[in-house]
Amino acid sequence: MRKKSEEPSKPKLVEHRIFAPSMLIMIAICIPFAMYQDESLELLNSIFNQVVEIFNWGYLWYAIIMVILGFYMSFSKYGDVVLGDPMEKPRFTLFEYASILIAMGLGSTIMRTGMTEWANVAVDPPIGVEAMSADALMWGNAYSMFLWTFQTFAVFVMAAPALGYLVHVRKKPFMRISEACRSIFGDNFTDGIGGKILDVIFLVSILSGAAVTLGLGTPIVTYNLAEIFNIDITFGLTLIVTVVWVFFFSISAYLGIERGIKKLSTFNMYLGGAFALFIMIAGPGVFILNYFTDSVGFLFTHYTDMILNTNAVHMGEDTHIQSNTVFYFAYNATWAMLHSVFAATVSRGRTIREMIMTYLFAPMLIAWGATAVLGGLGVERYLTGEVPVLDIVQEDAMAAIPAILNSLPLSIIALVAFVVVAMIFMITTLDSTTYTIASYAGTRNMSKSEPSRNLRLIVATIITVFALLLLRIGGLPPLEVVSGLLGIPIIILQFLTIYAAKKMMDEDRAWVNNVRKKKQRKQQPNDK
């Protein structure tokens, strides 16, 4: 009989050396915000504004470089490398795979930007363009589409090759940034304090980002619910919506990718398509198609004006496009590693080319469709005078959404459908986030099993508590700024992981040893 001291110890649920410091940092951020909200926000904003002012040009070039690296990695010899056994089928069909990446890549943010971003630009257009003019409206919708082009999704996916190769090919147990950088810095750094710092930076960035996302996504629902039931927007309503959200995304995260995230993602594709079709039929379908066509042409003509625009000769005259683009790329950088970890997780059996190209094109095309329908509806209502959209946006941008939807026939159906689609988008984004955090901070072997269900529920609870606390004390803006600031070290980590991916594949001659044979390439039954 074994002595008590000799009994095998129960395996740890979480890696405390990275999870505990991350939680302490999050608490340390929240406490001063609760006590000194205005002062904290002023200090953080001044720091962030200084960083943006100095590195304005850097953020713009960073996004361009990510796109270039994405196409290089896809169409060089590395593009054929399979993330897993070359003989195995992809884990998901192409439609399921694209749906999962779309849900993660877009989230409910596309619902907000599709409805209101064109108006933000129209009231504050580029220098030389008259506000609220026809040119300003063209800039508005083209810019809404620009936010969802290659540069955004290249930022999201370019760390995924290293992480996917690490787990699916080299069969390492943990898909962590420190592990991906082991081939660069060696064992002493990775297993020591340096590796732990990298992992803590990652966890803090996505924990704060998840809380911000939950906080920012809630008004998309509460404004429309208030319109449906003719009630005021209160913290009580926000609390109810958040609890319902948490309940559903906790269930989805608990069920895992196959039974939860995949099913919700594919269902939302069908539901979103039906909602868009309803707007086209019940609303100005012909105008939407014409305006979308014009917007695509305008975007192609002015693309470089948007992605390379620092307003250097117009000192002190920042416009919405110039300032928002820099902030948008900085904020996206915060989410880059989260998206990459999740993309790598669901890409077993896919080639690097398939993973990158699917992430670059699938969310972009869906986002353009959403922008065309939602933005086109709002512009038509403004032009006909049916809804004073630009006047509403200058007071409260979120209030424009129910006002526009209310102008449709069967408006109650439109409002309910919008709420449901936004809710599911948010659920799929946050359950993907919860799953990723649990995978990252957990102790289970990622190459063999999913993260602990109990840990997923714990992470879901933590995200919710932070979001509600910050919403209650009005501290969400400071955390949003913190998320943006954390994008700076994440950018450095991103370049390191891209180099690590190349280094690992070169060491293994993966373009020779881990590719499909020609016969296999022709027979991909899972892509039907």
Side-chain angles (χ1 to χ4, degrees):
M1 185 175 176
R2 282 185 177 179
K3 295 180 181 179
K4 189 174 181 181
S5 59
E6 294 176 345
E7 291 179 358
S9 59
K10 189 176 180 180
K12 293 188 299 181
L13 183 67
V14 66
E15 177 51 72
H16 297 291
R17 289 177 296 177
I18 60 174
F19 194 72
S22 301
M23 292 302 304
L24 290 174
I25 291 171
M26 288 290 292
I27 294 170
I29 291 172
C30 290
I31 289 175
F33 289 169
M35 298 175 63
Y36 309 104
Q37 179 191 337
D38 293 337
E39 294 84 350
S40 299
L41 182 57
E42 184 178 351
L43 174 63
L44 286 170
N45 271 325
S46 65
I47 294 172
F48 185 76
N49 289 337
Q50 284 295 315
V51 171
V52 168
E53 184 177 341
I54 295 171
F55 295 107
N56 189 346
W57 57 274
Y59 283 115
L60 301 182
W61 282 110
Y62 153 66
I64 293 173
I65 292 170
M66 286 293 110
V67 174
I68 294 171
L69 290 174
F71 278 94
Y72 165 74
M73 190 73 79
S74 297
F75 295 101
S76 66
K77 61 187 179 183
Y78 305 109
D80 290 327
V81 174
V82 178
L83 297 174
D85 185 343
M87 300 299 293
E88 71 178 333
K89 298 175 182 178
R91 183 177 181 182
F92 304 103
T93 67
L94 187 57
F95 178 74
E96 292 169 344
Y97 181 60
S99 298
I100 292 170
L101 295 183
I102 288 166
M104 182 64 181
L106 299 181
S108 61
T109 305
I110 186 59
M111 309 292 284
R112 185 178 72 250
T113 58
M115 291 290 281
T116 63
E117 190 60 28
W118 66 269
N120 291 329
V121 175
V123 298
D124 185 17
I127 294 170
V129 178
E130 182 183 351
M132 305 185 191
S133 64
D135 276 352
L137 293 176
M138 291 307 306
W139 273 98
N141 212 48
Y143 182 69
S144 297
M145 294 167 63
F146 165 79
L147 293 178
W148 301 103
T149 43
F150 292 135
Q151 71 283 344
T152 291
F153 301 110
V155 166
F156 286 164
V157 78
M158 282 313 296
L163 298 168
Y165 191 85
L166 192 72
V167 169
H168 300 312
V169 180
R170 289 197 166 184
K171 302 298 181 182
K172 297 296 184 181
F174 303 117
M175 194 184 290
R176 292 176 185 156
I177 304 305
S178 58
E179 284 295 328
C181 293
R182 186 182 293 272
S183 62
I184 301 175
F185 298 120
D187 294 339
N188 290 337
F189 177 90
T190 301
D191 298 328
I193 188 66
K196 298 300 176 287
I197 290 173
L198 296 185
D199 291 329
V200 168
I201 290 172
F202 172 88
L203 271 183
V204 171
S205 72
I206 60 175
L207 281 169
S208 60
V212 169
T213 298
L214 184 59
L216 293 178
T218 303
I220 300 174
V221 175
T222 54
Y223 272 76
N224 288 281
L225 285 178
E227 184 70 25
I228 292 170
F229 296 106
N230 193 27
I231 56 177
D232 293 330
I233 299 172
T234 63
F235 182 74
L237 178 61
T238 299
L239 179 61
I240 292 170
V241 169
T242 305
V243 169
V244 172
W245 236 331
V246 170
F247 176 74
F248 282 111
F249 90 68
S250 297
I251 291 176
S252 181
Y254 184 81
L255 291 173
I257 292 178
E258 295 285 351
R259 293 191 296 156
I261 297 171
K262 182 186 78 174
K263 291 183 182 298
L264 266 180
S265 299
T266 51
F267 172 71
N268 211 33
M269 288 288 290
Y270 292 117
L271 186 62
F275 179 55
L277 186 62
F278 169 77
I279 292 178
M280 292 291 291
I281 295 172
V286 174
F287 175 84
I288 287 172
L289 292 173
N290 287 333
Y291 185 56
F292 171 68
T293 303
D294 292 342
S295 298
V296 171
F298 198 91
L299 174 62
F300 286 166
T301 303
H302 296 277
Y303 185 83
T304 53
D305 294 330
M306 295 179 188
I307 200 167
L308 292 173
N309 178 18
T310 64
N311 273 348
V313 297
H314 298 282
M315 300 178 69
E317 298 182 53
D318 288 350
T319 64
H320 179 79
I321 286 180
Q322 188 271 326
S323 59
N324 187 66
T325 301
V326 174
F327 180 82
Y328 192 75
F329 290 162
Y331 191 61
N332 283 346
T334 307
W335 282 92
M337 290 302 182
L338 170 66
H339 284 262
S340 287
V341 170
F342 188 74
T345 301
V346 300
S347 294
R348 192 181 73 232
R350 293 284 170 187
T351 66
I352 286 178
R353 181 184 303 112
E354 288 169 345
M355 178 177 65
I356 294 176
M357 288 295 104
T358 303
Y359 217 144
L360 289 188
F361 281 95
M364 182 183 77
L365 294 176
I366 295 299
W368 281 19
T371 299
V373 174
L374 300 176
L377 173 64
V379 170
E380 194 273 346
R381 292 313 195 233
Y382 168 72
L383 290 174
T384 59
E386 195 167 343
V387 181
V389 182
L390 299 188
D391 294 333
I392 297 173
V393 165
Q394 292 181 72
E395 295 294 325
D396 185 352
M398 295 303 299
I401 295 176
I404 294 169
L405 294 175
N406 241 338
S407 69
L408 288 166
L410 304 173
S411 59
I412 190 70
I413 294 177
L415 286 164
V416 170
F418 187 91
V419 167
V420 173
V421 173
M423 284 278 283
I424 295 177
F425 260 132
M426 182 61 72
I427 289 167
T428 52
T429 298
L430 287 174
D431 63 14
S432 302
T433 302
T434 302
Y435 184 94
T436 303
I437 295 172
S439 301
Y440 200 89
T443 56
R444 286 191 178 181
N445 190 324
M446 279 287 290
S447 66
K448 296 179 180 179
S449 62
E450 292 193 337
S452 162
R453 288 178 172 178
N454 291 334
L455 182 55
R456 293 179 227 171
L457 294 179
I458 292 171
V459 171
T461 302
I462 290 170
I463 292 172
T464 304
V465 168
F466 277 126
L468 286 174
L469 173 65
L470 291 163
L471 281 169
R472 183 60 177 167
I473 65 176
L476 196 61
L479 193 56
E480 189 174 5
V481 177
V482 169
S483 295
L485 286 171
L486 285 170
I488 298 169
I490 291 295
I491 290 173
I492 298 171
L493 293 182
Q494 202 172 8
F495 281 110
L496 287 174
T497 56
I498 293 170
Y499 174 66
K502 181 181 182 303
K503 195 170 188 297
M504 285 189 290
M505 287 187 285
D506 285 342
E507 289 172 352
D508 299 344
R509 290 181 56 81
W511 66 88
V512 174
N513 301 318
N514 215 76
V515 297
R516 297 187 190 124
K517 305 306 179 185
K518 290 183 179 180
K519 187 177 179 180
Q520 288 177 270
R521 295 177 194 175
K522 293 177 182 178
Q523 297 176 348
Q524 283 297 315
N526 249 28
D527 285 352
K528 291 179 182 178

